[in-house]
Amino acid sequence: MELSRSTRISKLEENIARGFVWLFAGLTIIILVWIVGYILFRGFYSRQYIPYDVLPIEESVIPLEGTDDQGLRIIVNKKIKIRDLTESQLNEIYSKRRRENWGFYTRQDLDVQPFALKAAPDSKEFADAAARAVLPEGKEFSKYTSFVSGFDEMADMVAKTPGAIGFVPSDYKGSLNRVKTVPLRRFSVFFSPGTVKIEKNKKLQELDQEKLQRIFQGTSRNWLELGGIDLEILPALYLYNDSFTEQLEDLVSVGSLEESGIPVFTDKDKYFDYIASTPGSIGIALYDEVHDRDLPSVPVIRKETGPNLTLSFLLEAPSRSGAWGGISYIIINTLLLIAFTLLFSTPVGVAAAIYLVEYARQGPLVRFLRMGTETLAGIPSIVFGLFGRIFFVQILGMGIGFLSATLTVTLMILPTIVRTSEEALSAVPGTYREGSLALGATKLDTIFKVVLPAASPGILTGIILGIGRVVGETAVLLYTLGSSYELVAGPSSPARVLSLHLYLLFSEAVSFDRAFATGTVLIFIILIVNRMTTRMIGRMNRMSGK
C-alpha cells in the first residue's frame, strides 16, 4: 500500500531526528572515551623530558686513574628505583653537607646512605683512586658517609641498608646478587665560548637526541637551525674507548664516526685546544674535564618513559608536597571524608525528605522549602567553601581541618540527597501505605518497613550523586581542609584528598605525571563506588519485585 505524502514526510523527519540523536550521542561517547582514555594512558604511562648535564652514554665500569687497569662499579640497595646516575649526582651524594635524599633522583622518599672504603695499607691505592672518582675535586666525604674496611662488608652493608650506595672494584669476586649495579653517565657536550654567546636575542639553550643527530649526520650546517647564533656547526671528537664510540654512534645514528668525515683527534690536549679556539665547534668529553677547563656546556634533554601508576605509588606515604613517595595517606583521607560526610548527611537528608513527603502539610511553606533546597543544590561549591571558612573555621573556632571540611561538604550535598530522596518517596504508590495501614501497622512502621524499602533505589541514587560530588570537590576543601598530605589524626587535622591533591600537583607544577596517576586513581574509585551501588540497587529492586 502506497504511503501518503504526509506520512512519508513524517517518516523522513523521524529518520532525520533519529540520525541527529545517534550522531550527537556517538560524538558524546567518543569525546568521553577520548578524555577518559587519555587520562588513563597518562596515568599508567610516564613520559618525561628531563634536562641533564651529561649524555645518555653509560659506563658500567668507571676507569680509575693511578691503578693497575682497575675499574669501579657503583652499587645500590635493590629498593632504589634508579636506572643510572650522572657524575654530578654521584658527586653530590658523597660530598654534600646536608643529608641527600633519593627523592631528588627517583621520587622515593628515602635518605641516601653513602658507604666508602676505609684506606688501609693493602687497599690505600684503590681507596684513594675511588675517592677521586666519586668526589668533586678538592672536596671531602660528607659527615653522613659510613666507612667500611673491605669490599665484602661494603656489599653486605649496601644490601641490608635502605637507601645505601657504595662501590666495589670491577674485578670483585664476591656476590652482587643482593645489590644492584648502576651505570654512570659522565660525558658532556661542550662548545667553543663563542658558540653559546647571546647574539641578536639568540642563544643555544639545550640539545636533544634529534638535534645531536642533525649535528653529527651533517644535516644541520648552521647553529641558527638549532636555535643558536649565526655560526657554522663544526663537530669534532675524541674517541675515549670502544664502548663510548659504539654508544655515541647509536645515539646519533651514524654507522661509523671515524668514516663520517668528522675530525677525530688522538691527542686530547689538541682536541680541547681546537674546540676552545674554533668558533662554532662542538665536542664531547668527560664532565669533569669540561668543567676543569671552564668550557661552556648546555643541558641535553632525555626522554624517559616507564610505568607511572605503580604499586609503590599507591602504598607509599606522600612527601615533599606530593613530589616524592606515593598517595596512600591521601587515598585514606579521601575515603574517610566520604564516610563521615555520608554519616552526617544521609540520616539528615533522608529524615528531611520523609518529613516533607509523609508529615508536612503541602502548603506555601513546604513549596518555599523545596524551592530553597533546589536553589542550594545549584549554588557553586566555592560559595559553600566561603561559608564554611567563615562559619565553621572562624565563628565556631574549629580551624582549618577535617571536621570543618566534613561539615561544609555535608551542607553542600544535603540538598541533593533531600531532593532525590523526596522524589523517591513520592514515587512509592499510595496503595503501599494504605495496605500497610489496613493491616494494622502504625504510620512509623509503614514508613520504615514499607515506604523506605520501596524507595531505597532512588535514595541510593541521590547518595551516589552526593559521593560523586564529594570525591570531585576542590573549591570547598581549599578553604576548609587545608593542604597537609599527612594522614588525618583528629577532627582538627588539616589534610588533603585526591581531588585537592590533583589540583595542587597541577597548579603548583609539582609533577604532571603524578597528577595524571592521581586522576586515574580517582576515576577508579568513582567507578568502583558506582558499580557497587548499582549492584545494590539491582538487588533491592529484585527483592522488592520491581
Side-chain angles (χ1 to χ4, degrees), residues 459-505:
I459 294 172
L460 277 175
T461 300
I463 294 173
I464 292 174
L465 294 173
I467 292 174
R469 197 165 183 191
V470 172
V471 170
E473 193 47 58
T474 302
V476 168
L477 304 178
L478 277 172
Y479 290 103
T480 57
L481 185 60
S483 60
S484 171
Y485 44 81
E486 297 297 329
L487 188 64
V488 170
S492 60
S493 296
R496 185 183 293 194
V497 294
L498 285 170
S499 58
L500 184 57
H501 184 59
L502 173 62
Y503 168 77
L504 293 173
L505 289 175

Side-chain angles (χ1 to χ4, degrees), residues 415-454:
T416 302
I417 294 178
V418 170
R419 287 299 297 137
T420 53
S421 299
E422 188 180 354
E423 293 295 333
L425 292 169
S426 298
V428 176
T431 52
Y432 284 28
R433 298 175 177 83
E434 295 168 1
S436 175
L437 293 171
L439 292 172
T442 63
K443 187 173 182 64
L444 194 62
D445 286 337
T446 299
I447 291 172
F448 280 96
K449 295 181 181 180
V450 177
V451 178
L452 277 179

